[in-house]
Amino acid sequence: MGEQTVTPREGRDQAIPRSVTAPDEVAPEPRGGRLARMRAPRRPRLWFEILLIAVSYWTYSLIRNAVPEQRTAALNNADWIWRTEHHLGMAFEESVNHAVNSVTWLIVGMNYYYATLHFVVTLSVLVWLYRSHPGRYAATRLVLFATTAVALVGYYLYPLAPPRLMNGGDFVDTVMVHQTWGSMASGDLKHMSNQYAAMPSMHIGWSVWCGLTIFALAKLPWVRILGLLYPVVTLVVIVATANHFWLDAGGGVLCLAFGFAVARLWYGTLPYALPRVVPARGTGGPLLPTKG
């Protein structure tokens, strides 16, 4: 009688293939046709992402500022929105604008908030996604890009003057009054930006994108809370500085919903449900998880 070969339990456990089910595990190497491979999460390339973001923002700015200003239509639309908000009993922008403007240090801080954090926080979230959630980066970035792209359609179809430029309005242009550079559409910079592209508000679209991403993926509770507070504070800022109506914020949220729908259709799931770690391009091995 020949000898029996017994495989140790440890060896059997190691030999059993493990299925990828949890979103934080490594994604399997994509299989199938070309379309399936294109839709599968992939490790982002730094040089490509820098180039893509730079070209995309340049294109966005070029198209946004190339849209005809249509001053008359923009002012008429602003009057219509202001009347609609009065009918709804929610025309609070002027009161907030005057109240915050009476506190100099607060409104000056909001002017600089409006001018800087819109870009700083969004880019910071993209960098964090690239480093700590490479498997979710492309899908989450697609949400942002699709949101911004559909906003350009809004600027073209619905020119809108911000409250500070309304005819007969009593809004305070806080940038002009306090001589800060809180808006590309005021002061010496007003000729570099389309002043009548207030609907939808990408300050809100981008800030809600940042807030949801941080809340869904951050580990520390206080960081997740800050993520939720960021778009709320941004809403107060865009109203207090008289750069937007609150309905503009609603337009920004609708654009963001479109962006999530595009990502959901392309990847088959929400970006935050994708695996955090993906295989390196051109290799069969996994990308080791990064901290964060």
Side-chain angles (χ1 to χ4, degrees):
M1 183 179 295
E3 296 182 359
Q4 275 190 321
T5 302
V6 179
T7 304
R9 176 172 293 276
E10 293 86 0
R12 291 203 305 271
D13 290 343
Q14 291 175 359
I16 297 174
R18 303 188 179 194
S19 61
V20 179
T21 55
D24 277 343
E25 293 180 3
V26 179
E29 186 72 19
R31 302 181 184 279
R34 182 178 180 182
L35 181 60
R37 291 194 296 271
M38 289 175 60
R39 296 173 67 181
R42 288 284 189 168
R43 180 182 180 180
R45 295 171 175 170
L46 180 60
W47 67 267
F48 177 78
E49 293 303 324
I50 293 175
L51 181 62
L52 179 63
I53 291 172
V55 170
S56 297
Y57 184 73
W58 176 81
T59 304
Y60 164 76
S61 300
L62 183 67
I63 295 175
R64 181 181 187 273
N65 296 333
V67 172
E69 289 196 347
Q70 305 179 62
R71 181 176 183 273
T72 301
L75 291 172
N76 289 338
N77 289 336
D79 290 338
W80 183 87
I81 283 188
W82 191 229
R83 290 195 305 269
T84 300
E85 291 187 353
H86 274 286
H87 288 317
L88 295 173
M90 299 181 68
F92 52 77
E93 290 93 339
E94 190 173 286
S95 299
V96 174
N97 173 238
H98 286 212
V100 177
N101 185 67
S102 65
V103 184
T104 301
W105 65 267
L106 181 58
I107 193 60
V108 168
M110 286 189 175
N111 284 342
Y112 289 123
Y113 179 113
Y114 186 88
T116 59
L117 291 194
H118 179 51
F119 306 103
V120 172
V121 175
T122 304
L123 287 175
S124 297
V125 172
L126 282 170
V127 171
W128 172 60
L129 284 169
Y130 177 88
R131 289 177 56 84
S132 299
H133 298 269
R136 298 160 179 155
Y137 174 86
T140 314
R141 186 244 292 140
L142 176 60
V143 174
L144 183 65
F145 278 31
T147 298
T148 306
V150 76
L152 292 172
V153 179
Y155 299 147
Y156 184 85
L157 296 178
Y158 196 79
L160 179 67
R164 57 186 174 76
L165 293 181
M166 284 181 61
N167 287 328
D170 195 26
F171 288 91
V172 177
D173 188 333
T174 60
V175 172
M176 294 292 291
V177 169
H178 299 281
Q179 296 298 302
T180 56
W181 44 274
S183 172
M184 287 290 290
S186 292
D188 296 334
L189 299 176
K190 64 184 179 181
H191 299 297
M192 298 172 58
S193 178
N194 184 355
Q195 297 190 76
Y196 302 110
M199 172 66 85
S201 168
M202 280 299 93
H203 272 75
I204 292 299
W206 288 13
S207 67
V208 175
W209 176 86
C210 291
L212 290 177
T213 301
I214 293 170
F215 180 77
L217 301 180
K219 295 179 179 179
L220 297 176
W222 66 268
V223 175
R224 300 179 72 202
I225 293 173
L226 284 179
L228 292 181
L229 288 176
Y230 174 54
V232 176
V233 175
T234 300
L235 176 61
V236 175
V237 167
I238 67 171
V239 169
T241 56
N243 280 295
H244 288 282
F245 299 98
W246 68 264
L247 279 175
D248 302 345
V253 172
L254 289 177
C255 290
L256 182 63
F258 173 83
F260 272 107
V262 170
R264 176 68 174 79
L265 288 172
W266 182 253
Y267 287 97
T269 186
L270 290 175
Y272 310 135
L274 291 169
R276 183 169 70 90
V277 184
V278 291
R281 292 175 183 268
T283 68
L287 171 68
L288 294 178
T290 55
K291 296 180 179 180

